PDB file of all heavy atoms in Angstrom:
ATOM      1  N   GLY A   4      10.095   8.564  -4.777  1.00 90.00           N
ATOM      2  CA  GLY A   4      10.274   8.548  -6.220  1.00 90.00           C
ATOM      3  C   GLY A   4      10.128   7.161  -6.812  1.00 90.00           C
ATOM      4  O   GLY A   4      10.603   6.176  -6.246  1.00 90.00           O
ATOM      5  N   VAL A  10      14.492   8.042  -8.605  1.00 90.00           N
ATOM      6  CA  VAL A  10      15.283   7.076  -7.840  1.00 90.00           C
ATOM      7  C   VAL A  10      16.747   7.520  -7.796  1.00 90.00           C
ATOM      8  O   VAL A  10      17.409   7.474  -6.745  1.00 90.00           O
ATOM      9  CB  VAL A  10      15.153   5.667  -8.440  1.00 90.00           C
ATOM     10  CG1 VAL A  10      16.156   4.714  -7.797  1.00 90.00           C
ATOM     11  CG2 VAL A  10      13.728   5.143  -8.263  1.00 90.00           C
ATOM     12  N   LYS A  18      23.388  10.324  -0.495  1.00 95.00           N
ATOM     13  CA  LYS A  18      24.845  10.215  -0.341  1.00 95.00           C
ATOM     14  C   LYS A  18      25.460  11.582  -0.066  1.00 95.00           C
ATOM     15  O   LYS A  18      26.340  11.725   0.797  1.00 95.00           O
ATOM     16  CB  LYS A  18      25.449   9.608  -1.599  1.00 95.00           C
ATOM     17  CG  LYS A  18      25.058   8.154  -1.832  1.00 95.00           C
ATOM     18  CD  LYS A  18      25.602   7.647  -3.162  1.00 95.00           C
ATOM     19  CE  LYS A  18      25.136   6.220  -3.435  1.00 95.00           C
ATOM     20  NZ  LYS A  18      25.578   5.748  -4.775  1.00 95.00           N
ATOM     21  N   LEU A  81      18.822  13.674   8.131  1.00 97.00           N
ATOM     22  CA  LEU A  81      18.586  14.699   9.153  1.00 97.00           C
ATOM     23  C   LEU A  81      19.434  15.948   8.908  1.00 97.00           C
ATOM     24  O   LEU A  81      20.119  16.454   9.811  1.00 97.00           O
ATOM     25  CB  LEU A  81      18.840  14.154  10.558  1.00 97.00           C
ATOM     26  CG  LEU A  81      17.994  14.815  11.649  1.00 97.00           C
ATOM     27  CD1 LEU A  81      16.549  14.335  11.558  1.00 97.00           C
ATOM     28  CD2 LEU A  81      18.532  14.498  13.036  1.00 97.00           C
ATOM     29  N   GLY A  97       6.694  31.472  -5.485  1.00 89.00           N
ATOM     30  CA  GLY A  97       7.113  31.360  -6.881  1.00 89.00           C
ATOM     31  C   GLY A  97       8.459  31.993  -7.154  1.00 89.00           C
ATOM     32  O   GLY A  97       9.090  31.714  -8.172  1.00 89.00           O
ATOM     33  N   LEU A 109       3.412  30.118  10.809  1.00 89.00           N
ATOM     34  CA  LEU A 109       2.031  29.639  10.876  1.00 89.00           C
ATOM     35  C   LEU A 109       1.560  29.880  12.302  1.00 89.00           C
ATOM     36  O   LEU A 109       2.028  29.241  13.238  1.00 89.00           O
ATOM     37  CB  LEU A 109       1.951  28.150  10.522  1.00 89.00           C
ATOM     38  CG  LEU A 109       2.063  27.818   9.031  1.00 89.00           C
ATOM     39  CD1 LEU A 109       2.104  26.315   8.818  1.00 89.00           C
ATOM     40  CD2 LEU A 109       0.900  28.415   8.262  1.00 89.00           C
ATOM     41  N   ILE A 146      11.892  20.831  20.682  1.00 94.00           N
ATOM     42  CA  ILE A 146      11.976  19.363  20.633  1.00 94.00           C
ATOM     43  C   ILE A 146      13.025  18.925  19.626  1.00 94.00           C
ATOM     44  O   ILE A 146      13.860  18.067  19.898  1.00 94.00           O
ATOM     45  CB  ILE A 146      10.602  18.767  20.247  1.00 94.00           C
ATOM     46  CG1 ILE A 146       9.525  19.194  21.230  1.00 94.00           C
ATOM     47  CG2 ILE A 146      10.686  17.250  20.192  1.00 94.00           C
ATOM     48  CD1 ILE A 146       8.135  18.766  20.809  1.00 94.00           C
ATOM     49  N   PRO A 165       2.847  42.806   0.392  1.00 93.00           N
ATOM     50  CA  PRO A 165       1.657  41.948   0.366  1.00 93.00           C
ATOM     51  C   PRO A 165       1.839  40.799  -0.637  1.00 93.00           C
ATOM     52  O   PRO A 165       2.415  40.969  -1.704  1.00 93.00           O
ATOM     53  CB  PRO A 165       0.535  42.891  -0.081  1.00 93.00           C
ATOM     54  CG  PRO A 165       1.043  44.263   0.227  1.00 93.00           C
ATOM     55  CD  PRO A 165       2.532  44.197   0.029  1.00 93.00           C
ATOM     56  N   LEU A 219       7.023  -6.523  14.688  1.00 97.00           N
ATOM     57  CA  LEU A 219       7.164  -5.087  14.932  1.00 97.00           C
ATOM     58  C   LEU A 219       7.805  -4.411  13.725  1.00 97.00           C
ATOM     59  O   LEU A 219       7.363  -3.334  13.287  1.00 97.00           O
ATOM     60  CB  LEU A 219       7.988  -4.846  16.190  1.00 97.00           C
ATOM     61  CG  LEU A 219       8.127  -3.390  16.659  1.00 97.00           C
ATOM     62  CD1 LEU A 219       6.768  -2.736  16.833  1.00 97.00           C
ATOM     63  CD2 LEU A 219       8.922  -3.337  17.957  1.00 97.00           C
ATOM     64  N   TRP A 235       3.956  10.799  -1.481  1.00 96.00           N
ATOM     65  CA  TRP A 235       4.101  10.804  -2.945  1.00 96.00           C
ATOM     66  C   TRP A 235       2.855  11.379  -3.608  1.00 96.00           C
ATOM     67  O   TRP A 235       2.943  12.209  -4.518  1.00 96.00           O
ATOM     68  CB  TRP A 235       4.337   9.372  -3.441  1.00 96.00           C
ATOM     69  CG  TRP A 235       4.128   9.192  -4.903  1.00 96.00           C
ATOM     70  CD1 TRP A 235       4.982   9.528  -5.914  1.00 96.00           C
ATOM     71  CD2 TRP A 235       2.963   8.644  -5.534  1.00 96.00           C
ATOM     72  NE1 TRP A 235       4.423   9.218  -7.128  1.00 96.00           N
ATOM     73  CE2 TRP A 235       3.192   8.670  -6.929  1.00 96.00           C
ATOM     74  CE3 TRP A 235       1.757   8.125  -5.057  1.00 96.00           C
ATOM     75  CZ2 TRP A 235       2.239   8.205  -7.844  1.00 96.00           C
ATOM     76  CZ3 TRP A 235       0.811   7.661  -5.958  1.00 96.00           C
ATOM     77  CH2 TRP A 235       1.073   7.707  -7.342  1.00 96.00           C
ATOM     78  N   GLY A 349     -25.422 -10.885 -22.113  1.00 93.00           N
ATOM     79  CA  GLY A 349     -25.212 -12.319 -22.150  1.00 93.00           C
ATOM     80  C   GLY A 349     -24.179 -12.773 -23.154  1.00 93.00           C
ATOM     81  O   GLY A 349     -23.698 -13.914 -23.089  1.00 93.00           O
ATOM     82  N   PRO A 363      -5.901 -10.278 -20.417  1.00 94.00           N
ATOM     83  CA  PRO A 363      -4.937  -9.774 -21.402  1.00 94.00           C
ATOM     84  C   PRO A 363      -3.487 -10.051 -21.049  1.00 94.00           C
ATOM     85  O   PRO A 363      -2.623 -10.064 -21.926  1.00 94.00           O
ATOM     86  CB  PRO A 363      -5.221  -8.269 -21.430  1.00 94.00           C
ATOM     87  CG  PRO A 363      -5.887  -7.966 -20.128  1.00 94.00           C
ATOM     88  CD  PRO A 363      -6.678  -9.191 -19.792  1.00 94.00           C
ATOM     89  N   GLN A 383      -8.636   1.234 -18.617  1.00 91.00           N
ATOM     90  CA  GLN A 383      -9.169   2.589 -18.755  1.00 91.00           C
ATOM     91  C   GLN A 383     -10.344   2.632 -19.720  1.00 91.00           C
ATOM     92  O   GLN A 383     -11.370   3.277 -19.452  1.00 91.00           O
ATOM     93  CB  GLN A 383      -8.062   3.536 -19.233  1.00 91.00           C
ATOM     94  CG  GLN A 383      -6.995   3.818 -18.198  1.00 91.00           C
ATOM     95  CD  GLN A 383      -5.860   4.671 -18.753  1.00 91.00           C
ATOM     96  OE1 GLN A 383      -5.627   4.710 -19.964  1.00 91.00           O
ATOM     97  NE2 GLN A 383      -5.142   5.356 -17.873  1.00 91.00           N
ATOM     98  N   VAL A 573     -24.152  11.945  11.811  1.00 94.00           N
ATOM     99  CA  VAL A 573     -23.492  11.195  12.883  1.00 94.00           C
ATOM    100  C   VAL A 573     -22.855  12.202  13.831  1.00 94.00           C
ATOM    101  O   VAL A 573     -22.865  13.418  13.580  1.00 94.00           O
ATOM    102  CB  VAL A 573     -22.408  10.245  12.317  1.00 94.00           C
ATOM    103  CG1 VAL A 573     -23.035   9.133  11.486  1.00 94.00           C
ATOM    104  CG2 VAL A 573     -21.373  11.011  11.502  1.00 94.00           C
ATOM    105  N   ILE A 661      -7.262 -14.331   8.061  1.00 87.00           N
ATOM    106  CA  ILE A 661      -6.923 -15.750   8.184  1.00 87.00           C
ATOM    107  C   ILE A 661      -6.695 -16.367   6.814  1.00 87.00           C
ATOM    108  O   ILE A 661      -5.718 -17.078   6.588  1.00 87.00           O
ATOM    109  CB  ILE A 661      -8.047 -16.516   8.914  1.00 87.00           C
ATOM    110  CG1 ILE A 661      -8.300 -15.908  10.299  1.00 87.00           C
ATOM    111  CG2 ILE A 661      -7.716 -18.004   9.021  1.00 87.00           C
ATOM    112  CD1 ILE A 661      -9.546 -16.435  10.986  1.00 87.00           C
ATOM    113  N   ALA A 662      -7.609 -16.069   5.877  1.00 81.00           N
ATOM    114  CA  ALA A 662      -7.561 -16.685   4.546  1.00 81.00           C
ATOM    115  C   ALA A 662      -6.331 -16.222   3.774  1.00 81.00           C
ATOM    116  O   ALA A 662      -5.910 -15.072   3.881  1.00 81.00           O
ATOM    117  CB  ALA A 662      -8.830 -16.334   3.767  1.00 81.00           C
TER     118      ALA A 662
END
Side-chain angles (χ1 to χ4, degrees):
V10 170
K18 293 175 184 176
L81 210 74
L109 283 175
I146 302 174
L219 185 54
W235 164 79
Q383 290 175 337
V573 293
I661 302 170

